[in-house]
Amino acid sequence: MKHENPHHKHSHPHSEPQHAHPSGGHAAHTGHDKHAGHTPEMFRDRFFVSLLLTLPILYFSEHLQDWFGYRAAQFPGSAWVNPVLGTILYFYGGLVFLKGALRELRARTPGMMTLIALGITAAYGYSLAVSLGLPGKPFYWELATLIDVMLLGHWLEMASVQAASRALEELSKLMPTTAHRILGDRIEDIPVSALKEGDLILIRPGEQVPADGVVVEGASTMNEAFLTGESRPVPKEPGDEVIAGAVNGEGALKVRVTRTGEATTLSQILRLVQEAQASRSRFQALADRVAGWLFYIALTLGTLTFLVWLALGRDFNFALSLAVTVVVIACPHALGLAIPLVMVNATALAARHGILVRNREAFERAREIRFVALDKTGTLTEGRFAVRAIYAEEFSEEEVLSLAAALEALSEHPLAQAIVEAAEGKGLPRPEVRDFQAVPGKGVEGTLEGKRYRVGRPEWAEELGLRVSEALKRGLREAEGRGESAVALMDEERVLAYFALADRIRPSAKEAVQRLKAMGLTPVMITGDAEAVAKTVAQELGIERYHARVLPQDKARIVRELKTQGPTAFVGDGINDAPALLEADLGIAIGAGTNVAIEAADLVLVESDPLDVVRALLLARATYAKMVQNLFWATGYNAIALPLAAGVAYPLGIVLSPAVGALFMSLSTVIVALNATLLRRVRLD
């Protein structure tokens, strides 16, 4: 089953497994990420320090003294308070934006960082020139408030969405750190990194497999759900392959190592995750696209303003001051808050509905989704077995269930627990068991009321040559046709009953599929389970498109193919889902899944309820709409302010002074803030 296995806890999180990449996927992920290496705390600290530096700058600002009709205190050197504080602010508060701008320009994708860097550099450079003797009024107050608001915006955004991706660390933790190597008649414990191809190792019951290999001796079952998505334990006998990270069941196995380190299946998934992270980060967010356009507009209009006024015979200082005003005004304060304020409200609303947002771009990607690919085990189903049918002759269902549950109560097997739960659900008595014995890879046996009974795989009955009636054979064929796991109850001579066990479908899965269709989306089921299982579940849920027997590396490939037909979301919960979660335009992890899936996802559904997928997509659409509205309010005033600042209406005696520009700016910031809070009114049910 796809719940994180308790045995995983034994691996040491701090030890460096043999295939852990020191750089992790983090470097790959952050190639185009404006927040590479940033933390909310860094923005918070810079914001508060910058705010303190801003207060004296505002007090000594010539513009503010003119507007509010006061005179700042004069003392020797008072004229240098603003240039000194402005310089500190530019390099301390603005450095993060300057570095970000360099990254964006190197990647040839100017965005928010480049626009802010342009605005503060123009304001700082011009102001310093004025302080050193150029005629004009400095823009230190504009520089300071712009840096403050942008730091605040980035802090709010990062605090609401902590998007550090630790998927690779989580994957690395899954590997055991030691292996038991067999040398002749003795066993030695060695680090997994020292294993070589061809080594013979011992895997005890309940332990994790340290490397890929082939069983040489012994019989057991393995829990491989974390990797393959196959919900039932897989029997292992000599000649069968085992995969690193799988958990051994009830029997001890001797295994010949075939692949170690980088070559193991788990390491290959690690690599897939890294590649997917690298390609995923090339998405340029909406605000960055808008900021990119504004950057080009500011540069073009600023240059044109300067050249046109010079050509019209105005002096250099006049042309320069108008050009700088244009560039500074083009970077609106409200733009820095337009998206973060929506994110703060969206993440709060999402959290109220049990949806955790790990990546702000999720909302932007989600609005266009056409296909929703859903993993079966643990997502549409609970990843827990239940008894669907009992096929019995001569005995009542209650009698055979009571006998089977008495034996299975002493077994650790997941199928055994399902039979015990079914008996407890009906309140059946449990006869006392004597001489209990577990037979690895077969089942269990014991004496009940003086008679010997066995419960186990149907193949065990064949090996023992027991009689099976035609009616029971029909029942077994029906269970196998549905892809269910069959368990046989036998006495010394014949099979008494078959129990058909199936992975339980989540109660809300059917409604979720119907609502996705009603939203115009196409649900597609992807599973590692057999064709028969997939077909049965798909029919019950009303899903027309499904893929069965899908290997972990193929999930990401199927998602890639779906993406060629339209934007695709993927919903999953296992390690094997991590590459597909990253490959999809929107990755949604079910909260009861593994940490790796959660780390690879954009959104996490805490309640493991498929209906939350619908809620998440509705919220994403509403959030995106609010983002667009806010960007309009944040930048819309530029349509009027920029031409006026450039002096288009100068012949009429109208030039946009920084004062009026500041008023426009404050107004758009207030509208943006109010509009963002309206998101909380969205109904998701």
Side-chain angles (χ1 to χ4, degrees), residues 420-444:
V420 173
E421 276 176 29
E424 284 172 352
K426 294 189 174 184
L428 299 176
R430 236 187 259 160
E432 194 185 337
V433 180
R434 296 184 186 279
D435 307 327
F436 175 82
Q437 194 182 350
V439 184
K442 306 272 192 268
V444 294

Short mmCIF file of all heavy atoms in Angstrom, two decimals, residues 420-444:
data_model
loop_
_atom_site.label_atom_id
_atom_site.label_comp_id
_atom_site.label_asym_id
_atom_site.label_seq_id
_atom_site.Cartn_x
_atom_site.Cartn_y
_atom_site.Cartn_z
N VAL A 420 -9.90 -10.06 8.65
CA VAL A 420 -10.19 -9.86 10.09
C VAL A 420 -11.17 -8.69 10.26
O VAL A 420 -12.13 -8.78 11.02
CB VAL A 420 -8.88 -9.60 10.87
CG1 VAL A 420 -9.18 -9.22 12.31
CG2 VAL A 420 -7.99 -10.83 10.81
N GLU A 421 -10.93 -7.59 9.53
CA GLU A 421 -11.83 -6.43 9.62
C GLU A 421 -13.25 -6.78 9.20
O GLU A 421 -14.22 -6.33 9.80
CB GLU A 421 -11.30 -5.29 8.72
CG GLU A 421 -10.24 -4.44 9.40
CD GLU A 421 -9.67 -3.38 8.46
OE1 GLU A 421 -10.38 -2.93 7.54
OE2 GLU A 421 -8.49 -3.02 8.63
N ALA A 422 -13.36 -7.59 8.13
CA ALA A 422 -14.69 -7.99 7.64
C ALA A 422 -15.43 -8.79 8.71
O ALA A 422 -16.63 -8.59 8.95
CB ALA A 422 -14.55 -8.81 6.36
N ALA A 423 -14.72 -9.70 9.40
CA ALA A 423 -15.34 -10.52 10.46
C ALA A 423 -15.73 -9.65 11.65
O ALA A 423 -16.82 -9.79 12.21
CB ALA A 423 -14.37 -11.62 10.90
N GLU A 424 -14.84 -8.71 11.99
CA GLU A 424 -15.15 -7.83 13.13
C GLU A 424 -16.35 -6.92 12.81
O GLU A 424 -17.18 -6.64 13.67
CB GLU A 424 -13.92 -6.97 13.47
CG GLU A 424 -12.84 -7.74 14.21
CD GLU A 424 -11.55 -6.95 14.39
OE1 GLU A 424 -11.45 -5.85 13.81
OE2 GLU A 424 -10.66 -7.44 15.11
N GLY A 425 -16.42 -6.51 11.53
CA GLY A 425 -17.54 -5.66 11.10
C GLY A 425 -18.88 -6.36 11.26
O GLY A 425 -19.91 -5.72 11.50
N LYS A 426 -18.86 -7.68 11.16
CA LYS A 426 -20.12 -8.44 11.31
C LYS A 426 -20.28 -8.97 12.73
O LYS A 426 -21.25 -9.68 13.02
CB LYS A 426 -20.14 -9.61 10.32
CG LYS A 426 -20.20 -9.15 8.86
CD LYS A 426 -20.44 -10.32 7.92
CE LYS A 426 -20.63 -9.81 6.49
NZ LYS A 426 -20.95 -10.89 5.55
N GLY A 427 -19.29 -8.68 13.59
CA GLY A 427 -19.36 -9.12 14.99
C GLY A 427 -19.31 -10.63 15.16
O GLY A 427 -19.99 -11.19 16.03
N LEU A 428 -18.51 -11.31 14.32
CA LEU A 428 -18.46 -12.78 14.37
C LEU A 428 -17.51 -13.26 15.47
O LEU A 428 -16.49 -12.64 15.73
CB LEU A 428 -17.98 -13.34 13.02
CG LEU A 428 -18.86 -13.01 11.80
CD1 LEU A 428 -18.22 -13.55 10.53
CD2 LEU A 428 -20.26 -13.61 11.97
N PRO A 429 -17.85 -14.41 16.09
CA PRO A 429 -16.95 -14.96 17.11
C PRO A 429 -15.69 -15.54 16.44
O PRO A 429 -15.73 -15.90 15.27
CB PRO A 429 -17.79 -16.08 17.76
CG PRO A 429 -18.74 -16.49 16.68
CD PRO A 429 -19.04 -15.24 15.89
N ARG A 430 -14.60 -15.63 17.20
CA ARG A 430 -13.36 -16.17 16.64
C ARG A 430 -12.94 -17.42 17.41
O ARG A 430 -12.58 -17.32 18.58
CB ARG A 430 -12.26 -15.12 16.77
CG ARG A 430 -11.62 -14.78 15.45
CD ARG A 430 -10.43 -13.88 15.65
NE ARG A 430 -10.76 -12.49 15.38
CZ ARG A 430 -10.07 -11.46 15.81
NH1 ARG A 430 -9.00 -11.64 16.54
NH2 ARG A 430 -10.42 -10.24 15.51
N PRO A 431 -13.00 -18.59 16.77
CA PRO A 431 -12.58 -19.82 17.48
C PRO A 431 -11.09 -19.74 17.85
O PRO A 431 -10.32 -19.03 17.21
CB PRO A 431 -12.83 -20.95 16.48
CG PRO A 431 -13.35 -20.32 15.24
CD PRO A 431 -13.43 -18.86 15.40
N GLU A 432 -10.70 -20.52 18.88
CA GLU A 432 -9.30 -20.50 19.33
C GLU A 432 -8.43 -21.31 18.36
O GLU A 432 -8.82 -22.36 17.87
CB GLU A 432 -9.22 -21.10 20.74
CG GLU A 432 -7.89 -20.81 21.41
CD GLU A 432 -7.78 -21.52 22.76
OE1 GLU A 432 -8.83 -21.85 23.36
OE2 GLU A 432 -6.63 -21.74 23.19
N VAL A 433 -7.21 -20.78 18.08
CA VAL A 433 -6.30 -21.44 17.14
C VAL A 433 -5.18 -22.14 17.91
O VAL A 433 -4.59 -21.56 18.82
CB VAL A 433 -5.66 -20.39 16.18
CG1 VAL A 433 -4.71 -21.06 15.20
CG2 VAL A 433 -6.74 -19.63 15.43
N ARG A 434 -4.88 -23.41 17.53
CA ARG A 434 -3.73 -24.12 18.11
C ARG A 434 -2.74 -24.46 16.99
O ARG A 434 -3.14 -24.57 15.84
CB ARG A 434 -4.19 -25.42 18.80
CG ARG A 434 -5.11 -25.16 19.97
CD ARG A 434 -5.47 -26.48 20.67
NE ARG A 434 -6.46 -26.25 21.71
CZ ARG A 434 -6.17 -25.79 22.93
NH1 ARG A 434 -4.92 -25.49 23.25
NH2 ARG A 434 -7.12 -25.62 23.82
N ASP A 435 -1.49 -24.67 17.37
CA ASP A 435 -0.43 -25.07 16.40
C ASP A 435 -0.40 -24.16 15.17
O ASP A 435 -0.34 -24.63 14.03
CB ASP A 435 -0.64 -26.53 15.92
CG ASP A 435 -0.77 -27.49 17.09
OD1 ASP A 435 -0.13 -27.23 18.12
OD2 ASP A 435 -1.53 -28.47 16.98
N PHE A 436 -0.42 -22.85 15.41
CA PHE A 436 -0.39 -21.90 14.27
C PHE A 436 0.98 -21.89 13.60
O PHE A 436 2.01 -21.99 14.26
CB PHE A 436 -0.71 -20.48 14.78
CG PHE A 436 -0.60 -19.41 13.72
CD1 PHE A 436 -1.65 -19.19 12.84
CD2 PHE A 436 0.56 -18.66 13.59
CE1 PHE A 436 -1.55 -18.22 11.85
CE2 PHE A 436 0.66 -17.68 12.60
CZ PHE A 436 -0.39 -17.46 11.73
N GLN A 437 0.95 -21.80 12.28
CA GLN A 437 2.22 -21.74 11.54
C GLN A 437 2.06 -20.85 10.30
O GLN A 437 1.06 -20.97 9.59
CB GLN A 437 2.60 -23.16 11.10
CG GLN A 437 4.03 -23.27 10.63
CD GLN A 437 4.35 -24.69 10.16
OE1 GLN A 437 3.57 -25.61 10.36
NE2 GLN A 437 5.49 -24.87 9.54
N ALA A 438 3.04 -19.97 10.06
CA ALA A 438 3.03 -19.15 8.83
C ALA A 438 3.95 -19.81 7.82
O ALA A 438 5.07 -20.21 8.15
CB ALA A 438 3.52 -17.74 9.13
N VAL A 439 3.47 -19.97 6.60
CA VAL A 439 4.28 -20.58 5.54
C VAL A 439 4.64 -19.46 4.55
O VAL A 439 3.77 -19.01 3.78
CB VAL A 439 3.49 -21.71 4.82
CG1 VAL A 439 4.38 -22.39 3.78
CG2 VAL A 439 2.95 -22.70 5.84
N PRO A 440 5.91 -18.95 4.56
CA PRO A 440 6.27 -17.80 3.71
C PRO A 440 5.91 -18.00 2.24
O PRO A 440 6.16 -19.07 1.68
CB PRO A 440 7.79 -17.71 3.88
CG PRO A 440 8.06 -18.33 5.22
CD PRO A 440 7.04 -19.43 5.36
N GLY A 441 5.27 -16.98 1.68
CA GLY A 441 4.91 -17.02 0.26
C GLY A 441 3.69 -17.87 -0.05
O GLY A 441 3.25 -17.95 -1.20
N LYS A 442 3.10 -18.52 0.98
CA LYS A 442 1.93 -19.38 0.74
C LYS A 442 0.71 -18.91 1.54
O LYS A 442 -0.33 -18.65 1.00
CB LYS A 442 2.25 -20.83 1.13
CG LYS A 442 3.49 -21.41 0.47
CD LYS A 442 3.18 -22.04 -0.87
CE LYS A 442 4.34 -22.86 -1.36
NZ LYS A 442 5.26 -22.14 -2.21
N GLY A 443 0.88 -18.83 2.87
CA GLY A 443 -0.24 -18.45 3.73
C GLY A 443 -0.01 -18.87 5.15
O GLY A 443 1.13 -18.92 5.61
N VAL A 444 -1.10 -19.20 5.88
CA VAL A 444 -0.99 -19.64 7.28
C VAL A 444 -1.83 -20.90 7.50
O VAL A 444 -2.76 -21.17 6.74
CB VAL A 444 -1.47 -18.53 8.26
CG1 VAL A 444 -0.55 -17.32 8.21
CG2 VAL A 444 -2.90 -18.09 7.97
#
